[in-house]
Amino acid sequence: MFRRRFVLFLICLSVRIGVKASCISEDLLRTLLATKGSCKPGYNENAAFHAYVARHTPFSGNDILKFDDVHTNIGNNYDPSTGKFTAPKTGLYQIACTIQGYQTSAVTFQIQKNNERYDYGYAGGRDWHAVTRVLLMQLKEGDKVFVQHRDPKRKETVAGGRHSYFSGRFLQSNSI
């Protein structure tokens, strides 16, 4: 709030004394004025993450798939050591997941919201078969979203590299 008032003060001052701002300073001022944020540590209104499975990974039982090759983690709300994304605030999120079976391995999985099954996925057991799930989820602050193995009796292998990923982003605030 102080920063915005200071910027507005500078704009008003430059108008009153007739100082002409350069294009760069005008752009900087517009960016500062458009910035919305909070002083709360770790808070980011534009929370987003994108992570891949680094290596071909055995997937069985009630395993939670850990997407350990993290490329984007704005707000640090995705934890690669647990494979879980924690919603930093209440609102609407887009969650996406592509799972590819290694060679001819089928992969059965579910997307979990806390301890409940939210969506199912199945990559058939053909050569390098993959499936993508894209969801809109209303989450409350602190909700956890993750990818979990679905059939405890099956032993499957998820393709690593950049073949399998998990991503999400905050879209908008709303009342749940």
Side-chain angles (χ1 to χ4, degrees):
M1 187 64 150
F2 172 76
R3 180 175 53 185
R4 288 185 191 160
R5 286 185 183 162
F6 182 71
V7 170
L8 287 173
F9 171 75
L10 288 178
I11 291 171
C12 292
L13 181 63
S14 66
V15 170
R16 284 190 184 150
I17 62 173
V19 174
K20 185 174 180 182
S22 71
C23 292
I24 293 172
S25 20
E26 287 177 17
D27 290 344
L28 178 60
L29 292 172
R30 281 191 196 102
T31 301
L32 288 171
L33 289 172
T35 302
K36 296 178 189 174
S38 170
C39 297
K40 183 175 157 185
Y43 175 85
N44 189 314
E45 187 169 326
N46 300 312
F49 73 97
H50 186 88
Y52 296 97
V53 174
R55 291 171 278 302
H56 306 314
T57 303
F59 197 39
S60 63
N62 291 315
D63 289 349
I64 294 172
L65 192 55
K66 294 172 181 74
F67 298 82
D68 51 353
D69 183 10
V70 179
H71 285 251
T72 301
N73 200 1
I74 298 170
N76 292 316
N77 299 299
Y78 174 71
D79 183 350
S81 68
T82 64
K84 296 180 180 183
F85 167 72
T86 304
K89 64 188 249 177
T90 299
L92 182 65
Y93 290 79
Q94 179 182 37
I95 302 293
C97 174
T98 291
I99 302 293
Q100 182 171 353
Y102 175 71
Q103 294 180 345
T104 58
S105 179
V107 180
T108 55
F109 65 96
Q110 59 202 26
I111 297 175
Q112 293 277 111
K113 176 182 171 185
N114 299 318
N115 292 319
E116 65 184 64
R117 294 176 185 161
Y118 193 87
D119 192 51
Y120 297 100
Y122 175 73
R126 295 181 213 112
D127 285 345
W128 300 95
H129 190 85
V131 67
T132 298
R133 308 299 295 160
V134 179
L135 310 168
L136 292 176
M137 298 177 78
Q138 288 190 345
L139 301 175
K140 293 180 183 171
E141 182 177 339
D143 279 348
K144 297 195 182 307
V145 178
F146 52 96
V147 177
Q148 187 172 27
H149 192 257
R150 190 174 68 186
D151 188 345
K153 295 174 271 177
R154 296 177 65 123
K155 293 183 180 179
E156 303 163 333
T157 304
V158 174
R162 296 207 174 184
H163 298 286
S164 301
Y165 74 85
F166 183 38
S167 68
R169 65 185 180 124
F170 174 77
L171 295 175
Q172 68 181 31
S173 295
N174 60 1
S175 304
I176 294 180

